Amino acid sequence: MASPSAGKPLRFWLILILCIAALCVAALLILRSRQETGGLVQVTQSGEVVGTYPLDEPATLRFESDNGGWNEVVIQDGAVQVTQASCPDQVCVRHGATSQTGDPIVCLPNGLVVEVIANETAPQLDGVT
């Protein structure tokens, strides 16, 4: 016969899992609320900014990487997306279009990061402050 305390460990783990799930949902909601529609697309490759483009002007851009790979980036209808890439996993292509800040499109094999940024330059804190 099971002792009366046999249910306590199970109850503890269920409460712990529910608390972690609640924290994850809260963090997701906070991150989503901080996103805003941007006005520019900034493309970074291998850690260096290679271009900044207006989000409201249609463009099709191709970026070649040092390793021989490439990405095709399309700006249209106020959003940006990677439509084609030479990388094997195609994560950047499956990401889809975005017009929100804080939602970068990343292609690790080609070292490409495409992110939407705000038009105005927000004041940045420096190392002293």
Side-chain angles (χ1 to χ4, degrees), residues 22-104:
L23 285 173
C24 291
V25 168
L28 182 64
L29 291 175
I30 290 170
L31 288 175
R32 288 283 182 185
S33 70
R34 300 196 78 187
Q35 286 184 339
E36 59 186 52
T37 301
L40 298 172
V41 175
Q42 181 173 296
V43 180
T44 307
Q45 192 160 36
S46 301
E48 293 186 29
V49 176
V50 293
T52 303
Y53 309 93
L55 195 57
D56 58 356
E57 293 179 16
T60 299
L61 311 161
R62 184 177 171 105
F63 297 96
E64 306 279 337
S65 68
D66 294 337
N67 66 5
W70 54 270
N71 295 80
E72 184 176 279
V73 176
V74 175
I75 302 170
Q76 70 182 27
D77 300 328
V80 63
Q81 70 181 32
V82 175
T83 56
Q84 295 180 0
S86 64
C87 55
D89 58 11
Q90 299 289 299
V91 171
C92 54
V93 175
R94 287 194 311 265
H95 182 278
T98 184
S99 62
Q100 303 295 310
T101 61
D103 186 21

Side-chain angles (χ1 to χ4, degrees), residues 122-129:
Q124 299 284 328
L125 295 178
D126 61 13
V128 176
T129 58

